[in-house]
Amino acid sequence: MVVFDSRRRRSAISLLLAIVMVLSLFPVFTGTAEAAQMVPEEVAIAQSQSGTCTLASAAMMIRARMYLSGNSKWSSITEHDIRGDVWLEGAGIYYSWTYTTVGVIITGDHEDVSGLGESQLASMLKRHPEGIEIHCASVPHAVLVTDYIDGVFYCFDPAQYYSGHRIPLTASWLGEKLGSQSSILTSITSYWYISSYSIQPDTAIPT
C-alpha cells in the first residue's frame, strides 16, 4: 500500500508539472485583450485626405462602438457619414460631438493633456473597449488606440501606408516620428473618448 501511494503521488506531481509547463507556453494577457479579439480589423479605415486623421479616428471609434453593441450598420460608417456631426469645416474635429443615425446616438468628449501615463491609458481602455482616440500635436497626427497587451499598446492608424490593420503603437506614424512607446505617450496633447451612447442592436456578435 505504501509503495502504491508513493507512485500515485509521484504520478500526480508529474501530471501537475506537465500542466504547468503547457500553460507556460501561452501568453499572459493583461489590459483589454478581449477588445482585440472582439473588434475586427475591418473596423479600421484610411483617412480620405491629409488633415482628416482626427475625423477618421473618430469614425473608427464609432464603428467599433456600434460593432460591440451589435449594430450591423457599423461597416457602412465613413468619414462622410459623421462629418456633419463631428467636424467643423475649416477648423477640424469638435471637442465634444454627438453622432446620430437611425437607432444610434453616440456622444464623444475631449480632454487636453500634457501626456498620458501607461497605466492611465490602459485603465481608460478597460472602460472604453471601442478605443481611445489620441492626438500628438507635435507630429501632428491622431490614431485610435485599441487595446493593451503585455505592456504594449495597439492601434488603428488612419494614415496612408499604415491603415487597415491593428498594429503596435510604435509601428504607427506616431512611432515613426516619435520613436518609443513612452515618447508617444508623453507627447499626447489631447484625446477623445465615447462618453455615452444609445445603440439599438440588430445582430449578435460572434463568440
Side-chain angles (χ1 to χ4, degrees), residues 2 12 32 35 78 97 106-107 120 124 131 137 140 178:
V2 174
T32 57
T78 65
W97 47 260
I106 300 176
T107 296
Q120 183 182 8
M124 291 162 61
L178 297 171

Side-chain angles (χ1 to χ4, degrees), residues 62-169:
I62 289 171
R63 285 161 65 92
R65 181 64 267 165
M66 289 175 63
Y67 176 86
L68 292 172
S69 295
N71 188 295
S72 64
K73 296 181 179 64
W74 67 268
S75 60
S76 67
I77 301 300
T78 65
E79 283 186 17
H80 175 75
D81 295 307
I82 72 168
R83 197 177 187 110
D85 294 323
V86 172
W87 189 261
L88 179 62
E89 298 300 332
I93 191 171
Y94 288 114
Y95 277 4
S96 295
W97 47 260
T98 298
Y99 169 71
T100 60
T101 188
V102 177
V104 176
I105 302 174
I106 300 176
T107 296
D109 280 313
H110 162 277
E111 294 287 344
D112 285 323
V113 293
S114 297
L116 288 174
E118 183 175 331
S119 61
Q120 183 182 8
L121 182 54
S123 178
M124 291 162 61
L125 286 171
K126 287 182 180 180
R127 299 192 301 272
H128 300 280
E130 66 277 354
I132 300 292
E133 177 181 350
I134 63 170
H135 182 257
C136 296
S138 62
V139 175
H141 190 55
V143 303
L144 180 68
V145 181
T146 57
D147 57 293
Y148 176 70
I149 300 176
D150 289 343
V152 177
F153 287 104
Y154 293 83
C155 71
F156 289 151
D157 188 340
Q160 297 293 335
Y161 309 113
Y162 294 86
S163 63
H165 302 284
R166 170 182 168 272
I167 58 176
L169 187 56

